[in-house]
Amino acid sequence: LFPEADSDLNCGPGRTRLRFEAVDGSALPHYRCSREMLQLEAGSFTTSQAFPGIYFFRFCWAYACLPEALQANELNITAEVVEVPNGGFNVAENSTAVVLDVIAPACTLPSALVSVNNNQGATFNLPASKGSGRLLEVAPTNGSTVTALSCSTAVNTTCDDNDLMVLMYTAYKQDPQPIVPTSSCTCYAPPDGDGDCPFPQIPITLETVTSNASLGISYQQCIDPANFDYYRGEMAFSFCWRYKCLPDA
């Protein structure tokens, strides 16, 4: 585990203070010093190149490394102030958003809070919820800076010897798109006799919903493939359906 905080409960340069405390308040908090938020560089997590716009903060826990009074308790682990390197994310254009991504095991209950302009601006909250796949899109006003975040997770003894990571990066904030008229869905052609679609289209299968799968009816159509927008950095894939275009069955 990370080194303990000093007698004044402080951590040295390049370190972020972690607070370990029993959920039921039965023991005194314990403080450790994890590494600070870092830029994702060549060699980080077996990557082969640097990513100047991506930062990560990671910490781990092991009950055996904590004071005995905490070793049988459900814990809250909190990184109180995680400073964003290089002065923070400056939001220079309205089209830029800052995305916070939490990667954690299913046994955790992570949450996070993002601060703008050294707490002088808005704060954005990611409520507690189990496990990974959590995204928080922060869209401060033009010219403001995302300077710090705090993150916390609840764990218990069945969630021992694990870790949690927070990724922070910028992304293009797409303008709202107009609603697609319901009548704009084309009638896609079916595949040929061999089940193949003309390049670059791909087959999609539509099936009826029945209580017995052997009684269901399926029908294939050839739809357009996914497209990658190089300038926006987005992969878009979509398809539509129209009953008028399907067999009567």
Side-chain angles (χ1 to χ4, degrees):
L1 201 63
F2 304 110
E4 294 187 32
D6 62 24
S7 57
D8 294 323
L9 304 181
N10 294 320
C11 294
R15 294 284 178 176
T16 296
R17 193 174 75 170
L18 293 176
R19 185 178 70 248
F20 296 79
E21 55 188 342
V23 172
D24 61 8
S26 61
L28 291 174
H30 179 67
Y31 296 90
R32 294 272 181 167
C33 301
S34 72
R35 296 181 68 184
E36 63 185 346
M37 178 176 276
L38 299 171
Q39 178 179 316
L40 191 62
E41 297 177 343
S44 300
F45 311 109
T46 69
T47 58
S48 59
Q49 59 182 335
F51 297 87
I54 302 178
Y55 294 91
F56 68 94
F57 174 70
R58 177 176 177 266
F59 65 85
C60 60
W61 59 91
Y63 272 83
C65 301
L66 298 174
E68 185 176 353
L70 294 175
Q71 290 184 8
N73 280 281
E74 182 179 359
L75 301 176
N76 279 325
I77 307 172
T78 304
E80 298 162 317
V81 180
V82 183
E83 294 183 355
V84 181
N86 304 321
F89 272 123
N90 181 256
V91 184
E93 300 177 3
N94 288 327
S95 60
T96 301
V98 176
V99 179
L100 191 71
D101 189 358
V102 177
I103 302 174
C107 57
T108 60
L109 193 65
S111 61
L113 187 70
V114 175
S115 300
V116 176
N117 292 347
N118 295 315
N119 291 324
Q120 300 302 311
T123 57
F124 297 85
N125 183 39
L126 185 67
S129 184
K130 288 186 176 181
S132 295
R134 314 281 318 293
L135 289 177
L136 173 66
E137 183 182 286
V138 179
T141 57
N142 186 23
S144 60
T145 302
V146 177
T147 50
L149 64 93
S150 63
C151 58
S152 178
T153 186
V155 301
N156 57 40
T157 54
T158 65
C159 196
D160 192 16
D161 197 16
N162 264 302
D163 65 342
L164 179 147
M165 182 163 64
V166 176
L167 289 171
M168 181 178 281
Y169 49 92
T170 55
Y172 182 84
K173 185 172 177 61
Q174 188 175 16
D175 296 329
Q177 300 298 302
I179 297 175
V180 178
T182 55
S183 62
S184 65
C185 185
T186 60
C187 289
Y188 296 110
D192 61 24
D194 296 324
D196 297 324
C197 292
F199 182 84
Q201 290 186 316
I202 58 175
I204 185 174
T205 302
L206 299 94
E207 297 178 304
T208 56
V209 179
T210 64
S211 58
N212 188 334
S214 64
L215 301 178
I217 298 173
S218 63
Y219 180 70
Q220 285 193 316
Q221 293 179 314
C222 296
I223 65 171
D224 296 327
N227 292 309
F228 181 72
D229 189 319
Y230 178 84
Y231 295 100
R232 290 188 173 184
E234 295 177 340
M235 180 72 78
F237 178 82
S238 64
F239 64 90
C240 62
W241 57 92
R242 192 176 179 187
Y243 277 87
K244 183 179 179 180
C245 303
L246 302 177
D248 291 340

